[in-house]
């Protein structure tokens, strides 16, 4: 039977695009109707529509699909394992004593916002390159300090992302593809370097982390020959109600549980070990950076696949939001202005106090957790508007702009469907749906720290530029 | 400024909810500043930093809830505490249903609803081809309601549909009935054994309601869009539609509705009719009888005739049908009422094919028939706003719909024109259609009624008879209540025509002279 004759005999099931009255009339006749939430693709911009059309030409669409399939397979099949901790100078490619890595796309000292400047000057003091914050600022402006994005050194950094030579780093190895990703240690909450705070208490904590916490973790992991399978732990944490960006209580418990047997065997005093455990329990955020390194490790493995339209990086430096796309290899950034994060604030602060969106932590959403996995974290729905339904719809909406689901990391609430994986630039531009990012809010001024948390969207300009570049590059 | 502290011992609220509550508390108008937090060391430090520390707060335990309010007076602080307490106890409305899955693209909707088999696309013409292509690529049949789609896009879409064996109805297709479900602008009609392929929407609607009135019914009504039978498109969808209906067991008779096709396309269609195992009734408005008959088709010059032929071929008993013959005494009566200056017909239509049919009926007896849809440029209106001799206007045509809804939805333009025509002393009869059914205005006669009553009154005062013919396209199954519509029309003093064909014939006969 021909397809047309099948239509005559099967029950009509309509997808309605545009005029809503047609849907209502179909419902009156008991037909099944799905009404699309349709908006003009590319916000109606003819240049973008032409680029979409070019990418959807049958001669290239197969290549793109194959490339995207490979990219998401690499994301999904990546097995990031925590294999150790060490100081940045010893492990991070390109790290030098006068290099400071920062979050987001490249930025000069002059253009950095308050929290990032606060973190940079704090790090300079911490490294002993300047005696105080004022002189640190002079040094930062002098050109003696090399600034470079974390992402361009196989690293990620939360919030300001400021990473200097003697800081201890997670070392996460991709057992499937061999690449390694790094990120520094959580300073816990909330008056901390990464949030732009830099007073004596902040520097002292960094010193303790360098001299006690870091070495204990390093030595502990030396005793663990197999490393810690982070993806397995991540999926457990998601089943326990973390989305692993703004909620890390389960993940932190799992991580410290895995580290403890080795920590207690290290050659440090009981008092020092007790300090470590107290530090870990002082904030749920301890494992936050760990998941970022996992995501970075998986996404780096998917970067640089010719013709792929999958996003491999979303990162913000507090001034600009930048993305990288698999099909455009290397460090080519597409940027737009950083946005204001909307959400509840700590007592005593108002929205006008907040600095703009900052940090590499959007790597979690790029992987499919964080805001993308909101449905699995009902405990923090007040961050995203209030109801569990809201949380679920955030996750289902992200399925509209992603390529597949990751069967290794699932969401019980959605019948164990995998997290939405592989943001496709084409789908973002076509639907106008922007990735949703859960994140923290730093005070806009240097020296203060975290003042809230909430959600934010990237600027669409970054995605539009990427689409145009992809359509020009397509082979 | 007063600062007041309330410590609720042993009351736990999680930190994220607290942040959210704090934010809301700070939005309370009378509140200068509010802090709601658990009595942890970290929170105490924040409180200290903002200068609101009190001994009471200092002594609060980690498990105590601390509420601090700064307001203009003690009284206002108390009020603020009350509002904050309301926030703390406020329960969410749990009556709200589960969230429905929303899709933004055809591809994702198909992914989520694999049973989907047809897409209706009604978006701006510059985006429509892209969406239609997506639908076809996802193996959906398409009804493309949008107009302003280029003929190149139409050819490309229809060729793709043909390759995939799918229906590509449109662009500019407003009417279809698939599996007894009316799509966009169509009427509620009985299920039966007559299948229709129509390149003109209201023409197809007219044939379905006439078949329904004769007691027959419809299997499928496949729309093709008005340009399908052009040289360029080559009748791709009409040919595919005929073939599908021929293969459809439920269909016994096929009816084709269109303007006359381009010559090369006509040949293809006729060749297919010749091969077709089922009887095919052809109503090509203003078309050629001889060729159709030669091809073994059943030619119909007019719409009711097409419906009648179809139901008879489908097995109806002719002796039992009410064929709704013309009311000849009425014609004599109206002729007598009109004065010698009242020579002209003015047809004001919302349905393009209804306009076309009435126009062609008039053209059989008059040469001076003008319209915005005349095929002969000599008889096309120079200015669509000004009528000339016998004039038939399709208000659904592009000149009238730029930036405005179709007249079947928004009757305002036609009402204005009606008032203008009713004042013209050379006008003998005004003929209008009122289309009911899905998608159409809920009370089209009612919208026109005040204007009809007023115009008739004004004409009476001038001592001339103004003859108004209304035709209401619809069935008793349509939601607008056709009985009520007819009664309204009759009560205004207008004449009710029982079909498009009769409306055209009555209009012509009322003003024709010297037989």
């Amino acid at each position: 039977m021909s397809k047309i004759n099948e239509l005559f005999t099967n029950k009509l099931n309509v997808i309605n695009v545009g005029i809503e009255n047609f849907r209502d009339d179909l419902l009156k006749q008991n037909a099944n109707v799905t009404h699309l939430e349709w908006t003009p693709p590319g916000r109606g911009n003819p240049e973008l529509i032409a680029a979409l059309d070019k990418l959807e030409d049958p001669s290239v669409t197969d290549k793109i699909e194959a490339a995207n399939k490979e990219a998401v397979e690499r994301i999904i099949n990546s097995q990031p394992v925590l294999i150790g901790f060490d100081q940045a100078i010893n492990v991070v490619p390109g790290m030098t004593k006068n290099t400071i890595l920062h979050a987001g796309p490249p930025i000069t000292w002059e253009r950095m916002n308050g929290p990032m400047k606060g973190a940079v000057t704090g790090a300079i003091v911490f490294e002993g390159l300047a005696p105080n914050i004022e002189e640190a600022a002079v040094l930062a402006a002098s050109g003696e300090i090399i600034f470079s994005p974390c992402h361009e050194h196989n690293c990620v950094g939360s919030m300001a992302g400021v990473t200097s030579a003697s800081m201890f780093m997670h070392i996460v190895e991709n057992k499937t593809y061999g690449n390694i990703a790094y990120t520094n240690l959580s300073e816990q909450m909330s008056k901390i370097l990464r949030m732009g705070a830099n007073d004596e208490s902040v520097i002292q904590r960094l010193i303790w982390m360098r001299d006690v916490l870091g070495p204990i973790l390093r030595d502990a992991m030396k005793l663990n020959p197999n490393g810690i399978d982070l993806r397995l732990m991540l999926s457990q944490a998601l089943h326990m109600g973390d989305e692993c960006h703004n909620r890390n209580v389960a993940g932190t418990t799992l991580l410290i549980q895995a580290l403890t047997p080795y920590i207690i065997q290290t050659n440090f005093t009981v008092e020092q070990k007790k300090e470590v455990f107290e530090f870990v329990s002082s904030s749920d955020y301890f494992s936050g950076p760990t998941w970022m390194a996992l995501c970075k490790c998986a996404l780096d493995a998917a970067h640089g696949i010719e013709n792929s339209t999958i996003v491999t990086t979303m990162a913000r430096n507090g001034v600009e939001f930048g993305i990288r796309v698999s099909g455009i290899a290397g460090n080519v950034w597409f940027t737009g202005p950083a946005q204001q994060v909307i959400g509840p604030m700590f007592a005593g602060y108002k929205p006008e106090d907040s600095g703009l969106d900052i940090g590499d932590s959007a790597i979690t959403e790029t992987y499919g957790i964080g805001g993308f996995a909101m449905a699995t974290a009902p405990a923090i729905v007040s961050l995203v508007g209030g109801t569990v339904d809201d949380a679920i719809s955030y996750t289902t909406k992200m399925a509209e702009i992603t390529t597949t689901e990751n069967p290794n990391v699932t969401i019980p609430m959605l019948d164990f469907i995998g997290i939405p994986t592989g943001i496709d630039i084409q789908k973002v531009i076509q639907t106008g749906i922007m990735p949703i990012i859960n994140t923290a809010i730093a005070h806009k001024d240097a020296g203060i720290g975290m003042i809230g948390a909430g959600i934010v969207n990237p600027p669409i300009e970054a995605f539009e530029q990427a689409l145009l570049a992809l359509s020009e590059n397509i082979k | 400024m007063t600062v007041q502290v309330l410590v609720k011992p042993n009351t736990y609220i999680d930190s994220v909810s607290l942040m959210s509550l704090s934010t809301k508390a700070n939005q309370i108008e009378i509140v200068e500043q509010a802090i709601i937090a658990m009595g942890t060391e970290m929170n105490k430090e924040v409180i200290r930093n903002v200068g609101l520390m009190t001994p009471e707060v200092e002594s609060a335990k980690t498990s105590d809830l601390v509420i601090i309010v700064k307001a203009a007076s003690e009284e206002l602080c108390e009020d603020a505490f009350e509002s904050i307490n309301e926030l703390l106890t406020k329960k969410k409305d749990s009556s709200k249903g589960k969230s429905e899955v929303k899709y933004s693209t055809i591809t994702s909707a198909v992914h989520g609803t694999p049973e989907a088999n047809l897409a209706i696309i009604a978006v701006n013409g510059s985006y429509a081809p892209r969406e239609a292509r997506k639908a076809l690529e996802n193996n959906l049949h398409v009804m493309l309601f949008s107009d302003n789609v280029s003929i190149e896009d139409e050819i490309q879409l229809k060729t793709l549909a043909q390759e995939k064996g799918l229906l590509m109805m449109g662009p500019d297709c407003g009417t279809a009935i698939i599996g007894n479900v009316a799509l966009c602008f169509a009427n509620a009609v009985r299920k039966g054994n007559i299948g229709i392929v129509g390149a003109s929407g209201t023409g197809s609607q007219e044939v379905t309601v006439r078949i329904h009135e004769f007691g027959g019914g419809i299997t499928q009504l496949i729309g093709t869009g008005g340009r399908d039978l052009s040289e360029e498109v080559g009748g791709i969808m009409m040919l595919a539609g005929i073939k599908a209906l021929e293969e459809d067991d439920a269909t016994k008779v096929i009816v084709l509705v269109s303007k006359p096709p381009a010559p090369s396309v006509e040949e293809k269609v006729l060749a297919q009719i010749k091969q077709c195992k089922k009887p095919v009734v052809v109503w090509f408005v203003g078309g050629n009888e001889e060729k159709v008959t030669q091809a073994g088709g059943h030619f119909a010059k007019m719409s009711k005739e097409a419906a009648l032929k179809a139901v008879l071929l489908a097995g109806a008993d002719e002796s039992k049908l009410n064929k709704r013959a013309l009311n000849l005494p009425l014609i004599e009566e109206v002729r007598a009422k009109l004065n010698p200056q009242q020579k002209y017909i003015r047809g004001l239509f919302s349905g393009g094919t209804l306009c076309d049919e009435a126009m062609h009926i008039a053209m059989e007896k008059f040469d001076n028939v003008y319209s915005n849809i005349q095929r002969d440029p000599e008889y096309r209106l120079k200015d669509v706003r000004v009528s000339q001799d016998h004039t038939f206007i399709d208000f659904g045509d592009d000149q009238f719909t730029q930036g405005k809804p179709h007249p079947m939805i928004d009757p305002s333009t036609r009402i204005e024109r009606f008032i203008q025509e009713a004042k013209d002393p050379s006008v003998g009869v005004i003929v209008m259609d009122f289309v009911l059914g899905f998608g159409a205005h809920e009370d089209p006669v009612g919208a026109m009624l005040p204007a009809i009553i007023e115009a008739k009154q004004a004409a009476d005062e001038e001592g001339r008879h103004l003859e108004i013919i209304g035709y209401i396209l619809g069935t008793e199954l349509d939601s607008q209540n056709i009985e009520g519509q007819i009664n309204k029309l009759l009560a205004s003093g207008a004449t009710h025509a029982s079909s498009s064909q009769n409306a055209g014939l009555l209009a012509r006969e009322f003003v024709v002279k010297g037989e």
Side-chain angles (χ1 to χ4, degrees), chain A residues 106-176:
Chain A
I107 188 167
T108 57
W109 162 256
E110 290 73 27
R111 294 185 64 229
M112 288 178 187
N113 73 354
M116 190 175 278
K117 279 187 170 167
V120 165
T121 48
I124 289 172
V125 172
F126 162 65
E127 293 293 342
L129 299 170
N132 55 47
I133 298 299
E134 292 70 31
E135 288 186 43
V138 174
L139 181 63
S142 72
E144 298 279 306
I145 301 294
I146 300 162
F147 294 107
S148 188
C150 291
H151 265 292
E152 299 185 4
H153 297 262
N154 300 346
C155 290
V156 277
S158 81
M159 298 307 285
V162 163
T163 303
S164 59
S166 57
M167 287 182 185
F168 269 83
M169 310 295 284
H170 295 69
I171 305 168
V172 176
E173 185 186 350
N174 192 331
K175 291 289 181 193
T176 321

Side-chain angles (χ1 to χ4, degrees), chain A residues 10 82 88 112 115 153 217 254 267 273 280 309 315 340-341 353 394 405 411 423 472:
Chain A
N10 291 350
L82 179 66
M112 288 178 187
H153 297 262
L217 293 174
L254 293 169
N267 291 321
K273 290 172 190 165
V280 172
T309 58
Q340 173 148 20
V341 183
D353 297 328
Y394 274 115
E405 291 115 23
I411 299 178
I423 301 167
E472 277 164 27

Side-chain angles (χ1 to χ4, degrees), chain B residues 70-201:
Chain B
K70 189 171 164 190
S73 69
E74 205 166 303
E75 219 169 58
L76 286 177
C77 281
E78 289 304 322
D79 290 350
F81 278 133
E82 212 165 289
S83 305
I84 289 168
N85 263 324
E86 262 171 47
L87 286 176
L88 293 175
T89 51
K90 199 168 179 181
K91 290 279 178 288
K92 281 267 152 50
D93 177 15
S94 60
S95 63
K96 213 175 64 177
K98 267 213 134 180
S99 59
E100 186 192 345
V101 184
K102 304 268 192 190
Y103 301 102
S104 298
T105 64
I106 288 173
T107 307
S108 60
V110 170
H111 186 68
T113 330
E115 322 81 55
N117 48 19
L118 183 135
I120 296 177
I121 296 166
V123 300
N124 183 301
S126 48
Y127 310 125
R130 180 184 163 77
E131 300 301 330
R133 205 177 314 124
K134 291 249 177 249
L136 292 172
E137 282 164 2
N138 281 290
N139 290 313
L140 297 178
H141 301 278
V142 174
M143 175 161 185
L144 182 51
F145 180 81
S146 315
D147 54 5
N148 291 316
V149 171
S150 74
I151 196 141
E152 292 77 23
D153 279 325
E154 176 168 354
I155 293 165
Q156 202 184 39
L157 289 170
K158 285 185 169 168
T159 309
L160 176 61
Q162 193 178 24
E163 282 164 13
K164 304 199 73 153
L166 296 165
L167 282 179
M168 177 66 227
M169 302 189 281
D172 203 9
C173 174
T175 301
I177 300 174
I178 301 294
N180 217 33
V181 176
L183 307 178
C184 303
F185 291 83
N187 300 86
V189 294
R190 200 176 298 110
K191 196 174 175 168
N193 57 9
I194 299 169
I196 301 172
V197 190
S200 48

